[in-house]
Amino acid sequence: MNSAPELRATCLRLLTLADPVAKAAEVLALDLCAGRLDPDTVFNTQAPEGQPGRGEKPPLLPHTQIKPGALNTPRGHAALVHSIVHIERNAIDLALDICWRFPGLPEAFYRDWLQVAREEANHFTLLRAHLRTLGFDYGDFPAHDGLWQMAERTRDDLLARVALVPRTLEARGLDASPAVKAKLLSIGDARGGEILDLILREEIGHVATGNRWYAWACAQRGLDPVRTYA
């Protein structure tokens, strides 16, 4: 038996883990050099219907029903940090999903998104640790599932996935990051601001990865990238 894990199969297994803390830890522990890629494998196993592994917490509500509370209160402060932790948890799942779902792509594709998964797992871990210093933990507040809903909508089309997740949703996150950092600094949360600085630097790279593979996918289909995106 080959001791080196098949990395795409590992991504599918990690996607189905319900415990996000264990998932992040396992993603961070992946040895991308030792792992063996299986780019042509089409998996018979399907991810859980509708979404990846989920526990009872956090409860998922429509975003219109989520009321974070006043930022200048301990609970409102924690709710804002929790919302970012939840985004990073979904980002781990999105990177794992794109690795296992689409077979037959260049090895560099899977290596790129595995690296994204590891960086998202680090973001989640740092933010959760910070949230715990505020007296709360991930799952203590409701959250919404908008990011994963986009994964479901693009599950059958690689071009749509790279166009609409990294190039659209994550790019919007870049635009929003300075304002969120300013909110945290306004209430004296310097550590939260430091973590957001790290995330911003690495998310720029994630959007660039999305741009690169979007251009590649358009070229494979003979499509104009600008007109196709519109």
Side-chain angles (χ1 to χ4, degrees):
M1 180 177 177
N2 191 334
S3 60
E6 294 185 350
L7 289 174
R8 285 185 59 237
T10 299
C11 287
L12 176 56
R13 179 183 66 78
L14 292 176
L15 182 69
T16 64
L17 283 183
D19 182 346
V21 177
K23 178 182 304 195
E26 287 205 44
V27 170
L28 286 170
L30 283 176
D31 186 342
L32 304 188
C33 295
R36 182 169 67 85
L37 276 161
D38 47 348
D40 297 320
T41 301
V42 177
F43 294 103
N44 292 322
T45 306
Q46 294 295 312
E49 184 64 28
Q51 56 188 5
R54 291 281 193 263
E56 293 182 359
K57 292 184 174 183
L60 298 177
L61 302 175
H63 69 90
T64 54
Q65 295 182 19
I66 297 175
K67 310 298 182 186
L71 183 61
N72 61 353
T73 65
R75 188 169 183 84
H77 178 189
L80 175 60
V81 175
H82 185 277
S83 69
I84 312 169
V85 179
H86 183 67
I87 289 170
E88 299 301 330
R89 181 256 177 86
N90 274 282
I92 301 170
D93 287 334
L94 286 165
L96 293 172
D97 185 78
I98 201 172
C99 284
W100 85 265
R101 185 174 296 279
F102 299 103
L105 299 172
E107 179 174 333
F109 177 90
Y110 302 107
R111 297 290 180 191
D112 278 354
W113 292 108
L114 284 165
Q115 181 60 34
V116 169
R118 291 184 69 174
E119 291 173 358
E120 304 290 17
N122 186 48
H123 301 168
F124 171 87
T125 302
L126 290 172
L127 283 165
R128 176 183 175 249
H130 182 51
L131 179 62
R132 295 182 76 190
T133 70
L134 303 178
F136 296 86
D137 203 347
Y138 178 60
D140 287 347
F141 297 89
H144 68 82
D145 215 28
L147 275 174
W148 188 255
Q149 289 170 8
M150 182 62 80
E152 285 293 305
R153 290 172 59 191
T154 58
R155 63 185 300 164
D156 298 320
D157 188 345
L158 173 66
L159 181 61
R161 173 65 63 88
V162 292
L164 296 174
V165 176
R167 296 189 80 245
T168 301
L169 297 183
E170 289 198 65
R172 288 176 184 168
L174 295 182
D175 293 338
S177 183
V180 176
K181 177 185 174 182
K183 287 182 179 181
L184 292 176
L185 293 181
S186 74
I187 55 171
D189 187 356
R191 176 56 180 159
E194 290 173 0
I195 297 171
L196 285 186
D197 281 341
L198 168 67
I199 292 173
L200 179 61
R201 289 195 298 271
E202 294 186 341
E203 292 294 344
I204 290 171
H206 300 174
V207 174
T209 297
N211 284 340
R212 182 164 60 254
W213 290 107
Y214 171 74
W216 179 88
C218 284
Q220 294 296 304
R221 302 187 193 184
L223 299 172
D224 175 82
V226 176
R227 287 202 299 266
T228 299
Y229 183 72

